[in-house]
Amino acid sequence: MKGLILAAGRGSRLLPVSATRPKHALPIAGVPIIRRAVHALREAGVHDIGIVTSASSEADLRDATLGSGHLTFIRQAEALGTGDAVLCARDFLENQDTLLYLGDNLFEDSLRPVALGLPGTDAVIGVKQVSNPQAYGVAVVDKGQLRRLVEKPRHPESNLAACGVFAFAPQVLDHLAELAPSERGEIEFPMALTSVLAAGGRVRAVEFKGFWSDAGAPADLLSANAFFLSRLASRTEGRGNGNTTSGPVVIEAGAVVEDSILRGPVWIGPHATVRGSTLGPNVSVGPHARVNGATVSASLIDEFAHILHPSRPLRHAVIGRHAVVTAPSDAGLQLVIGDRSVVRL
C-alpha cells in the first residue's frame, strides 16, 4: 500500500501565520503538522509515502519533514482541488492501494483500521461524530457502509463528518479522472466516492472516537496544541533555575528557564529563553523564542518570537515566527499589523 499526503495549499483561514509558509509546516506541541501526518501513516504500516506540494510550499515541507525517512515530493502545478492533487500522483501510486491523508488533519486514533478495511471494498472513509456537521462534508452511513456524502448541508442527515483520511483501490482513480470540476472549479476527491457508489461500488466507513482536528483556523491550532501537549511526559534537557513547576513540563536541550512558574502542560523548545514569567497551562514556546516578564496561557508561540514584558496577560494567542509582543513605550501603544492580522485590545 502507498501513502499519499496532500499538502499543496497554504491555508487562507490561518493567515497571517500561513502567509510565509504552508499551514502543514506549522508546529503543534513542537512538531510540524506534516511530520505528524507522516508518522501517522508509518504507524499504520505504510512506508512508501508521497507528499503533494506546490511550488511555494515544497521547500518548507522538505524542511519540516527532515529526519522523517524517505519521502517522495510530487508537484501540483495549480490549486485545482484534492482530486486533481491525487491525479498528479498517479505515476507514484503505481496502480496500488493507497492510504490518502489530507495533510492538515490531526488524529489521536491510529489510521490502521482505515488501511486494514480496504480488502473487499472499493474505498474506505474515516468519519467522526461532530457537534456542527453543517460545517463539514457529511457522511450518511448505514451498517458501516457509506450511502452518500453531502457537502456542508443546511439540514444534515447525520452528525458524521468526513475527516480527511481515506483508503482506496486503484479503480477509484478511473472514477476520479472522469469527474467534472465542481462549482468552485475544482476536482474534489470525495466526489469520486460518490461516483463509485453511483456505479454500484462499495465504500466502507470507519468511525474515529478520539481527538480529531483539521487545523483550519487559529482556534483549531490551539485546541490541537493543547491536546498534544497533554500527552507529554515531563522531561528536562535544558537548564532551569529558581522555577516552580506543576503538571507535565518539557524543557528541551539548550533552553534556559529561570525564575518562572510553569503550569503544565508546557513545552519549551530548543534554545528558547524564559525568564520571570508564568506559563501555562497549554503553552508551547518554539525554538529560539524569548519570553521575559510575561503571563501566557493556552497559547502557541513560534520560533524566534519575542514576548518581552507585555502589559497584559496573553491568552489564546498564536504568535508567529519572529513576531514581537512587548509593552507600550513612552509614546504610547504601537501596532504594526500585517494583512489579515487579528488584534483584540
Side-chain angles (χ1 to χ4, degrees):
M1 176 175 272
K2 297 270 191 171
L4 188 65
I5 301 171
L6 305 189
R10 297 205 70 85
S12 60
R13 289 190 296 153
L14 282 171
L15 288 168
V17 292
S18 62
T20 58
R21 62 181 158 169
K23 62 182 175 180
H24 315 85
L26 295 172
I28 297 295
V31 180
I33 293 172
I34 187 69
R35 199 185 307 168
R36 291 187 181 276
V38 171
H39 174 77
L41 292 184
R42 296 208 193 283
E43 190 278 334
V46 179
H47 298 284
D48 192 0
I49 298 172
I51 299 178
V52 179
T53 71
S54 65
S56 62
S57 70
E58 183 171 333
D60 287 310
L61 295 176
R62 285 183 180 273
D63 288 344
T65 52
L66 286 174
S68 298
H70 174 73
L71 299 166
T72 300
F73 289 85
I74 302 149
R75 186 72 62 85
Q76 183 182 20
E78 296 182 71
L80 297 178
T82 55
D84 179 76
V86 173
L87 290 174
C88 288
R90 197 163 190 173
D91 289 343
F92 165 76
L93 298 179
E94 295 180 324
N95 211 36
Q96 295 187 38
D97 293 344
T98 300
L99 183 59
L100 174 64
Y101 190 113
L102 306 191
D104 53 359
N105 287 267
L106 293 158
F107 295 92
E108 176 184 6
D109 296 342
S110 170
L111 305 185
R112 283 181 180 270
V114 177
L116 296 176
L118 189 57
T121 191
D122 294 283
V124 182
I125 182 173
V127 298
K128 178 79 167 67
Q129 290 190 27
V130 295
S131 59
N132 56 335
Q134 62 275 11
Y136 299 93
V138 170
V140 179
V141 177
D142 179 35
K143 297 178 180 178
Q145 298 295 312
L146 181 69
R147 298 308 178 197
R148 56 189 167 276
L149 279 172
V150 185
E151 181 65 22
K152 297 181 180 178
R154 285 189 176 183
H155 305 288
E157 296 179 67
S158 85
N159 64 348
L160 292 174
C163 56
V165 64
F166 310 85
F168 62 88
Q171 64 267 22
V172 173
L173 291 177
D174 296 329
H175 290 269
L176 189 59
E178 294 173 358
L179 291 176
S182 67
E183 292 180 358
R184 298 191 302 173
E186 297 182 352
I187 299 173
E188 304 292 352
F189 179 81
M191 295 166 60
L193 302 188
T194 299
S195 176
V196 168
L197 294 175
R202 298 174 70 242
V203 179
R204 183 172 289 136
V206 170
E207 185 176 348
F208 291 104
K209 299 295 187 181
F211 176 85
W212 164 63
S213 173
D214 66 355
D220 301 319
L221 280 184
L222 291 175
S223 65
N225 197 53
F227 173 77
F228 285 101
L229 285 172
S230 73
R231 297 165 66 87
L232 295 177
S234 292
R235 174 170 49 85
T236 299
E237 297 181 7
R239 179 163 58 88
N241 182 48
N243 302 310
T244 300
T245 64
S246 60
V249 172
V250 174
I251 303 174
E252 298 285 7
V256 176
V257 184
E258 296 178 336
D259 304 319
S260 295
I261 299 172
L262 308 177
R263 300 181 178 128
V266 168
W267 179 82
I268 299 172
H271 307 288
T273 302
V274 177
R275 291 189 170 95
S277 297
T278 298
L279 303 185
N282 301 322
V283 171
S284 61
V285 178
H288 302 279
R290 289 178 57 198
V291 182
N292 289 1
T295 297
V296 185
S297 63
S299 296
L300 189 161
I301 300 168
D302 211 341
E303 60 184 1
F304 294 100
H306 287 184
I307 315 297
L308 307 176
H309 305 282
S311 59
R312 300 184 183 191
L314 300 181
R315 180 174 173 81
H316 300 303
V318 178
I319 310 296
R321 295 183 297 182
H322 299 277
V324 176
V325 179
T326 189
S329 68
D330 293 340
L333 183 68
Q334 179 192 25
L335 296 176
V336 180
I337 303 299
D339 295 350
R340 298 178 185 262
S341 296
V342 176
V343 175
R344 293 185 176 93
L345 295 174

